[in-house]
Amino acid sequence: MTDPTPTPADLAADLVDLLDVEEIDTDLYRGRRSRGGVGRVFGGQVIAQALQAAQRSTDPSGKIAHSLHAYFMRAGAEDHPIIYRVVRDFEGKSFATRRVIAMQRGAPILNMAASFQLPEDGFAHQDAMPDVPPPEELRSEAELRAADSAGVDEKFRRALLRPRPIELRPVFPRRWASPVPTDPVQHSWFRIVAPIGDDPAVHRAILAYASDMSLLGTCMLPHGVNWTSPGFQSASLDHAVWLHEPFRADEWLLYTTDSPWAGHGRGMNRGKIFSADGRLIASVAQEGLIRLREPRG
């Protein structure tokens, strides 16, 4: 008997639960395993759980996370939980800084620094939101993947088609079975698939999780490859997020990404995230490993 297809509410609740770390001692937290997960842990999960651990150490102060900078050192495994140790490096009147070390089986897999600030007013300006079709006029990534999955290797098809808690609606659909070189620019609307309540810290964690989706793929576009291409190897090396404005992750957000450079086995990616009303709510940057090796015979 096969498991029933999860509802959007199930998927959203599972993601919120996944990113809610468990306090096991002062400044020490445990991150859950992804239900049914196999293989390598998704980098966005580690970033979001680390952010949640850092936020737990600052909630009473009233300071809000405004930036995080993370380095991936080892691939995490879905077979084990992840332990997060928070170090309180600085606590000022306006700002606070936290350092988070993510550990699995005694080895660090990620280091992250996060900065928090008491809300205040000041000078303001922002980039304009790109002029793209609204999400209501676009097909979902799930529909597009289903239509283009026939030519994808069987070992990737299950991962390609599994139900996801984040809905994506790309402006320029990607070709999964037979990618072709295109400009290194993407625009994708995204949101969690069901309402998740009003806790801003949870919405920030969801955005941190989603910010790792489709970003690394931007630097692959000019080269006509993706993670299903034979012999292709990719991994996030570092990841930075700046949170500018309040938002809801269960409302449509536009993720605009570009890649200004790739070389030496690495690709650089930048992202801007806008609310549907045009506010620039976050900026993202990431460098990743991108290698094409001869497939083993």
Side-chain angles (χ1 to χ4, degrees):
M1 183 177 178
T2 58
D3 293 332
T5 301
T7 66
D10 292 336
L11 291 168
D14 283 349
L15 181 58
V16 171
D17 185 64
L18 173 67
L19 303 185
D20 184 22
V21 293
E22 173 193 2
E23 184 174 9
I24 54 179
D25 203 339
T26 302
D27 292 337
L28 193 65
Y29 301 87
R30 180 188 290 115
R32 295 172 175 83
R33 294 177 50 197
S34 178
R35 184 179 300 179
V38 294
R40 192 169 68 180
V41 176
F42 173 52
Q45 173 188 326
V46 188
I47 292 168
Q49 288 180 335
L51 175 60
Q52 282 285 58
Q55 290 184 134
R56 291 288 182 84
S57 71
T58 56
D59 279 350
S61 72
K63 299 183 180 76
I64 297 172
H66 71 91
S67 70
L68 62 88
H69 299 256
Y71 281 93
F72 294 93
M73 293 173 284
R74 296 174 177 86
E78 290 280 12
D79 308 75
H80 307 281
I82 303 172
I83 302 300
Y84 297 88
R85 178 174 293 281
V86 177
V87 181
R88 306 186 185 210
D89 284 332
F90 175 71
E91 191 72 58
K93 291 183 178 180
S94 298
F95 290 87
T97 304
R98 299 290 184 264
R99 187 158 32 98
V100 184
I101 305 167
M103 307 279 294
Q104 197 170 60
R105 305 194 73 183
I109 64 172
L110 173 137
N111 279 345
M112 187 182 86
S115 183
F116 297 76
Q117 182 190 18
L118 280 174
E120 63 178 83
D121 295 326
F123 299 112
H125 71 272
Q126 68 159 73
D127 282 352
M129 182 179 181
D131 184 12
V132 300
E136 295 78 14
E137 296 180 8
L138 302 170
R139 298 175 68 189
S140 72
E141 179 86 331
E143 292 178 271
L144 295 166
R145 289 185 179 203
D148 192 37
S149 64
V152 175
D153 192 294
E154 184 61 36
K155 66 180 179 180
F156 296 117
R157 189 174 296 123
R158 182 177 178 183
L160 198 68
L161 299 181
R162 74 176 184 269
R164 298 168 188 266
I166 303 296
E167 180 180 3
L168 291 169
R169 294 195 179 183
V171 174
F172 307 120
R174 290 176 288 179
R175 295 173 59 178
W176 291 97
S178 53
V180 296
T182 62
D183 291 337
V185 176
Q186 296 190 95
H187 306 286
S188 296
W189 292 95
F190 74 93
R191 66 178 177 184
I192 193 168
V193 294
I196 56 169
D198 299 324
D199 184 351
V202 174
H203 287 264
R204 289 191 289 270
I206 297 296
L207 183 139
Y209 175 92
S211 70
D212 197 33
M213 300 177 69
S214 77
L215 183 60
L216 182 55
T218 308
C219 67
M220 305 175 197
L221 292 174
H223 311 288
V225 295
N226 60 38
W227 55 271
T228 71
S229 300
F232 186 71
Q233 180 184 19
S234 65
S236 300
L237 296 174
D238 62 5
H239 193 90
V241 181
W242 295 264
L243 298 161
H244 307 314
E245 299 287 350
F247 62 91
R248 292 190 65 93
D250 51 10
E251 296 178 351
W252 285 115
L253 303 171
L254 178 67
Y255 200 0
T256 292
T257 63
D258 76 298
S259 176
W261 173 90
H264 311 293
R266 308 189 313 276
M268 177 66 190
N269 306 274
R270 303 177 296 198
K272 299 175 185 177
I273 302 178
F274 296 86
S275 61
D277 61 3
R279 293 178 301 119
L280 179 61
I281 63 164
S283 299
V284 185
Q286 182 187 84
E287 189 175 51
L289 174 73
I290 51 171
R291 289 175 178 156
L292 188 61
R293 291 180 166 173
E294 289 296 325
R296 293 179 180 178

